[in-house]
Every structure is written in structure tokens, then in C-alpha cells.
Amino acid sequence: MGELIAVLSGKGGTGKTSVCAGLATALASLGESVLCIDCDIGLRNLDIALGLADANAISFLEVCRGDYDLSAALRHPQYPGLAFLTAPVNCTPEDIDKAALSAMLRAAREQYKYVFLDAPAGVDLGFKLCAAYADRVIVVTNPEPAAVRDAARAGELLELMGKENVRLIVNRIDKKLFEKMRVTVDDAMDEAGLPLLGIVPEDRNVTLAAAFESPLLRYTRKGAAAACRRIAKRLQGTWVKVPVR
């Protein structure tokens, strides 16, 4: 039985979707079977981060409705073990049949080792839908005070939902900026109140890879790509040292 991993953020602009794509492709490159589901209804972007912007992917809603079987999920041309379901655009989270979504996710857990749910930013219904079904929750923040505060709020809501396996990724770390701000990753952890899963540096290659319609891990092996590989190994249960921060 596979694991459902919800990737959440308290606010937009944290790089949540690029982190989700990086972890999914890293696990697929390690030989794991992975399904990525874009749950940002109406504002889908996970396809871009995966290098699938021009691909014809079906939506998770079409699978929930029975229009397609889960096996029809788009297979990534560069990662055979990675499949993708996009988000529907002409509906709202309120339109999603929870029973049908639950059944689809149960089937996904039976077919894939890891199922990533890329949730919409914020703490509204989309956040709650993804978190409700997740076995593990990853909260992505960046070092900005507003983002860290919103990550803390997300953590509080997850605790109220009874979620215990919640971890923090601090993304877009710029060491020089940290020094000027006189803050550390430990400060972000303390403010968010969540244990750390990993850190990801600021990396212009994230933007360049998307512009050239390439998955980050195929575009470069350094920076954010290397960080995603380390975190992916931790998700597998392998201890990998966090770089000095």
C-alpha cells in the first residue's frame, strides 16, 4: 500500500509546486512508482514544473467521475515510473464529490508507492481536502516572515485535524540574505513550530527549467535539484545529512 503525501503552504509564492515536482521526479528517478495530482482547481501549474505543459493530461475529476480509469493518467516521457493527473479548471473545490475523491485516492495508494497531492496555497477548502486524506503532510515555506507565520498557522490547523506526520521544508534559502536578516533556518523552524524535513536553496534554475519546459532534475543536478534528491531519500527512510546552515 502506497503513501499519500499532501504538499501544502500557508501562502502563495513559497515554491510549493516546484518542490512537489522536484520530490516526485527525484523519487521516480530512484525507481519508485509515483503519481502526482494537481489539486489546485482552476489554477493548475504542476504540469509546468514537471515539464508537461504541452502534454494532454486528464484531470483527477475525470477519474473521480468515472470518465477514465486511473490507469489513463499521463505517463511522464522521461520518468517511466511517474504518472500525472492535472486539476480541473471549470469547477470549484465545493464541486468535488468527496466520496468519489476518497475512492480514487484509495485506488491510487494501491497502484503507486507515493501519491503527491499538490494543494492550492492558503488554508481554505482545497487545503483541507488534501490534508484530510494524507498519510504525510509537507508544509513548504520560504524565509519571509509572512510565509513563516502562515506556515505556523497551517501547522496549527493540521494539528486540529489530528495530523501528526507533518514536516517543514524551508525553500528558497539565500545565505547572504539570511545573514543580513540575522536569521537562521532554526529560527524559521521555531516560528513555524514544525520539525524540519529539508532545506532548498534559492536557485534560478527552477525558473529556467520551467521556461525551457524541462523538469528541474533533468535541467541541472545542482542547487535545488540536489536538495530535492536528498529530501526524496529521507522520504524513503534513508538518513541524509542536512547541509550546514
mmCIF file of all heavy atoms in Angstrom, residues 9-12 14 122-123 127 139-141 144-157 191-192:
data_model
loop_
_atom_site.group_PDB
_atom_site.id
_atom_site.type_symbol
_atom_site.label_atom_id
_atom_site.label_comp_id
_atom_site.label_asym_id
_atom_site.label_seq_id
_atom_site.Cartn_x
_atom_site.Cartn_y
_atom_site.Cartn_z
ATOM 1 N N SER A 9 1.080 24.826 1.618
ATOM 2 C CA SER A 9 1.746 26.054 2.061
ATOM 3 C C SER A 9 0.687 26.996 2.598
ATOM 4 O O SER A 9 -0.461 26.971 2.156
ATOM 5 C CB SER A 9 2.521 26.722 0.918
ATOM 6 O OG SER A 9 1.647 27.167 -0.088
ATOM 7 N N GLY A 10 1.096 27.806 3.549
ATOM 8 C CA GLY A 10 0.144 28.742 4.130
ATOM 9 C C GLY A 10 -0.181 29.893 3.197
ATOM 10 O O GLY A 10 -1.237 30.506 3.289
ATOM 11 N N LYS A 11 0.742 30.214 2.268
ATOM 12 C CA LYS A 11 0.525 31.313 1.338
ATOM 13 C C LYS A 11 1.171 30.983 0.008
ATOM 14 O O LYS A 11 1.957 30.042 -0.102
ATOM 15 C CB LYS A 11 1.095 32.623 1.892
ATOM 16 C CG LYS A 11 2.624 32.654 1.953
ATOM 17 C CD LYS A 11 3.138 33.946 2.584
ATOM 18 C CE LYS A 11 2.850 35.171 1.738
ATOM 19 N NZ LYS A 11 3.602 35.188 0.467
ATOM 20 N N GLY A 12 0.839 31.782 -0.995
ATOM 21 C CA GLY A 12 1.443 31.604 -2.309
ATOM 22 C C GLY A 12 2.857 32.154 -2.351
ATOM 23 O O GLY A 12 3.286 32.912 -1.478
ATOM 24 N N THR A 14 5.736 30.438 -2.172
ATOM 25 C CA THR A 14 6.760 29.723 -1.416
ATOM 26 C C THR A 14 7.558 28.755 -2.289
ATOM 27 O O THR A 14 8.582 28.233 -1.856
ATOM 28 C CB THR A 14 6.140 28.924 -0.259
ATOM 29 O OG1 THR A 14 5.272 27.912 -0.798
ATOM 30 C CG2 THR A 14 5.348 29.835 0.673
ATOM 31 N N GLY A 122 -2.736 28.538 0.664
ATOM 32 C CA GLY A 122 -3.748 29.022 1.589
ATOM 33 C C GLY A 122 -4.318 27.889 2.421
ATOM 34 O O GLY A 122 -3.894 26.733 2.316
ATOM 35 N N VAL A 123 -5.297 28.211 3.251
ATOM 36 C CA VAL A 123 -5.853 27.227 4.189
ATOM 37 C C VAL A 123 -7.362 27.071 4.004
ATOM 38 O O VAL A 123 -8.087 26.801 4.963
ATOM 39 C CB VAL A 123 -5.513 27.621 5.641
ATOM 40 C CG1 VAL A 123 -4.018 27.521 5.893
ATOM 41 C CG2 VAL A 123 -6.006 29.026 5.971
ATOM 42 N N PHE A 127 -7.004 23.098 0.722
ATOM 43 C CA PHE A 127 -6.032 22.706 1.742
ATOM 44 C C PHE A 127 -6.588 21.575 2.598
ATOM 45 O O PHE A 127 -5.935 20.546 2.820
ATOM 46 C CB PHE A 127 -5.723 23.942 2.587
ATOM 47 C CG PHE A 127 -4.921 23.704 3.837
ATOM 48 C CD1 PHE A 127 -3.562 23.957 3.854
ATOM 49 C CD2 PHE A 127 -5.527 23.269 5.016
ATOM 50 C CE1 PHE A 127 -2.811 23.763 5.021
ATOM 51 C CE2 PHE A 127 -4.795 23.072 6.166
ATOM 52 C CZ PHE A 127 -3.432 23.320 6.174
ATOM 53 N N VAL A 139 4.725 20.846 4.707
ATOM 54 C CA VAL A 139 4.421 22.269 4.641
ATOM 55 C C VAL A 139 5.650 22.977 4.086
ATOM 56 O O VAL A 139 6.750 22.862 4.643
ATOM 57 C CB VAL A 139 4.051 22.845 6.020
ATOM 58 C CG1 VAL A 139 3.814 24.356 5.926
ATOM 59 C CG2 VAL A 139 2.805 22.150 6.568
ATOM 60 N N VAL A 140 5.469 23.690 2.988
ATOM 61 C CA VAL A 140 6.573 24.402 2.348
ATOM 62 C C VAL A 140 6.460 25.885 2.675
ATOM 63 O O VAL A 140 5.391 26.493 2.511
ATOM 64 C CB VAL A 140 6.553 24.208 0.817
ATOM 65 C CG1 VAL A 140 7.712 24.958 0.164
ATOM 66 C CG2 VAL A 140 6.641 22.716 0.480
ATOM 67 N N THR A 141 7.559 26.446 3.144
ATOM 68 C CA THR A 141 7.611 27.885 3.394
ATOM 69 C C THR A 141 8.893 28.439 2.789
ATOM 70 O O THR A 141 9.765 27.694 2.358
ATOM 71 C CB THR A 141 7.569 28.196 4.902
ATOM 72 O OG1 THR A 141 7.462 29.611 5.097
ATOM 73 C CG2 THR A 141 8.821 27.693 5.612
ATOM 74 N N GLU A 144 10.634 34.338 4.329
ATOM 75 C CA GLU A 144 9.957 35.611 4.582
ATOM 76 C C GLU A 144 9.090 35.502 5.834
ATOM 77 O O GLU A 144 8.397 34.499 6.038
ATOM 78 C CB GLU A 144 9.085 35.995 3.393
ATOM 79 C CG GLU A 144 9.856 36.249 2.113
ATOM 80 C CD GLU A 144 8.936 36.522 0.943
ATOM 81 O OE1 GLU A 144 7.712 36.632 1.170
ATOM 82 O OE2 GLU A 144 9.428 36.601 -0.191
ATOM 83 N N PRO A 145 9.090 36.518 6.686
ATOM 84 C CA PRO A 145 8.311 36.459 7.928
ATOM 85 C C PRO A 145 6.837 36.121 7.712
ATOM 86 O O PRO A 145 6.269 35.336 8.482
ATOM 87 C CB PRO A 145 8.486 37.868 8.506
ATOM 88 C CG PRO A 145 9.815 38.320 7.986
ATOM 89 C CD PRO A 145 9.917 37.746 6.601
ATOM 90 N N ALA A 146 6.218 36.687 6.674
ATOM 91 C CA ALA A 146 4.801 36.404 6.427
ATOM 92 C C ALA A 146 4.589 34.943 6.067
ATOM 93 O O ALA A 146 3.609 34.317 6.501
ATOM 94 C CB ALA A 146 4.272 37.304 5.307
ATOM 95 N N ALA A 147 5.501 34.387 5.265
ATOM 96 C CA ALA A 147 5.372 32.985 4.860
ATOM 97 C C ALA A 147 5.546 32.057 6.059
ATOM 98 O O ALA A 147 4.820 31.067 6.206
ATOM 99 C CB ALA A 147 6.395 32.660 3.779
ATOM 100 N N VAL A 148 6.507 32.366 6.926
ATOM 101 C CA VAL A 148 6.737 31.529 8.102
ATOM 102 C C VAL A 148 5.546 31.612 9.048
ATOM 103 O O VAL A 148 5.118 30.604 9.629
ATOM 104 C CB VAL A 148 8.037 31.943 8.814
ATOM 105 C CG1 VAL A 148 8.226 31.145 10.094
ATOM 106 C CG2 VAL A 148 9.238 31.737 7.894
ATOM 107 N N ARG A 149 4.988 32.807 9.210
ATOM 108 C CA ARG A 149 3.803 32.947 10.064
ATOM 109 C C ARG A 149 2.644 32.127 9.515
ATOM 110 O O ARG A 149 1.934 31.441 10.275
ATOM 111 C CB ARG A 149 3.392 34.412 10.170
ATOM 112 C CG ARG A 149 2.110 34.615 10.981
ATOM 113 C CD ARG A 149 1.686 36.064 10.988
ATOM 114 N NE ARG A 149 2.597 36.886 11.776
ATOM 115 C CZ ARG A 149 2.460 38.215 11.912
ATOM 116 N NH1 ARG A 149 1.459 38.847 11.298
ATOM 117 N NH2 ARG A 149 3.309 38.893 12.649
ATOM 118 N N ASP A 150 2.456 32.158 8.200
ATOM 119 C CA ASP A 150 1.371 31.388 7.591
ATOM 120 C C ASP A 150 1.634 29.887 7.677
ATOM 121 O O ASP A 150 0.695 29.091 7.783
ATOM 122 C CB ASP A 150 1.177 31.814 6.139
ATOM 123 C CG ASP A 150 0.556 33.200 6.019
ATOM 124 O OD1 ASP A 150 0.066 33.718 7.046
ATOM 125 O OD2 ASP A 150 0.556 33.762 4.911
ATOM 126 N N ALA A 151 2.903 29.479 7.626
ATOM 127 C CA ALA A 151 3.236 28.068 7.820
ATOM 128 C C ALA A 151 2.861 27.622 9.234
ATOM 129 O O ALA A 151 2.375 26.500 9.444
ATOM 130 C CB ALA A 151 4.720 27.830 7.567
ATOM 131 N N ALA A 152 3.088 28.509 10.206
ATOM 132 C CA ALA A 152 2.717 28.199 11.583
ATOM 133 C C ALA A 152 1.206 28.020 11.701
ATOM 134 O O ALA A 152 0.725 27.105 12.386
ATOM 135 C CB ALA A 152 3.195 29.306 12.518
ATOM 136 N N ARG A 153 0.463 28.886 11.022
ATOM 137 C CA ARG A 153 -0.998 28.763 11.047
ATOM 138 C C ARG A 153 -1.442 27.459 10.395
ATOM 139 O O ARG A 153 -2.337 26.772 10.899
ATOM 140 C CB ARG A 153 -1.630 29.962 10.324
ATOM 141 C CG ARG A 153 -3.154 29.903 10.212
ATOM 142 C CD ARG A 153 -3.807 29.763 11.584
ATOM 143 N NE ARG A 153 -5.264 29.739 11.486
ATOM 144 C CZ ARG A 153 -6.056 29.229 12.426
ATOM 145 N NH1 ARG A 153 -5.535 28.689 13.526
ATOM 146 N NH2 ARG A 153 -7.362 29.241 12.273
ATOM 147 N N ALA A 154 -0.789 27.102 9.285
ATOM 148 C CA ALA A 154 -1.106 25.831 8.630
ATOM 149 C C ALA A 154 -0.842 24.667 9.578
ATOM 150 O O ALA A 154 -1.634 23.717 9.669
ATOM 151 C CB ALA A 154 -0.287 25.680 7.357
ATOM 152 N N GLY A 155 0.271 24.742 10.305
ATOM 153 C CA GLY A 155 0.589 23.692 11.261
ATOM 154 C C GLY A 155 -0.452 23.575 12.362
ATOM 155 O O GLY A 155 -0.820 22.475 12.781
ATOM 156 N N GLU A 156 -0.948 24.720 12.825
ATOM 157 C CA GLU A 156 -1.991 24.706 13.852
ATOM 158 C C GLU A 156 -3.260 24.034 13.348
ATOM 159 O O GLU A 156 -3.885 23.234 14.058
ATOM 160 C CB GLU A 156 -2.294 26.141 14.294
ATOM 161 C CG GLU A 156 -1.160 26.819 15.047
ATOM 162 C CD GLU A 156 -1.402 28.307 15.229
ATOM 163 O OE1 GLU A 156 -2.425 28.820 14.706
ATOM 164 O OE2 GLU A 156 -0.560 28.968 15.865
ATOM 165 N N LEU A 157 -3.653 24.356 12.119
ATOM 166 C CA LEU A 157 -4.862 23.754 11.544
ATOM 167 C C LEU A 157 -4.686 22.253 11.342
ATOM 168 O O LEU A 157 -5.617 21.477 11.570
ATOM 169 C CB LEU A 157 -5.194 24.436 10.218
ATOM 170 C CG LEU A 157 -5.648 25.891 10.313
ATOM 171 C CD1 LEU A 157 -5.802 26.492 8.916
ATOM 172 C CD2 LEU A 157 -6.965 25.998 11.076
ATOM 173 N N GLU A 191 9.627 29.332 14.647
ATOM 174 C CA GLU A 191 8.445 30.157 14.406
ATOM 175 C C GLU A 191 7.298 29.322 13.848
ATOM 176 O O GLU A 191 6.141 29.499 14.252
ATOM 177 C CB GLU A 191 8.798 31.278 13.426
ATOM 178 C CG GLU A 191 7.625 32.185 13.049
ATOM 179 C CD GLU A 191 7.163 33.063 14.190
ATOM 180 O OE1 GLU A 191 7.942 33.286 15.135
ATOM 181 O OE2 GLU A 191 6.005 33.530 14.126
ATOM 182 N N ALA A 192 7.606 28.398 12.936
ATOM 183 C CA ALA A 192 6.561 27.560 12.333
ATOM 184 C C ALA A 192 6.094 26.471 13.291
ATOM 185 O O ALA A 192 4.959 25.997 13.182
ATOM 186 C CB ALA A 192 7.076 26.933 11.048
#
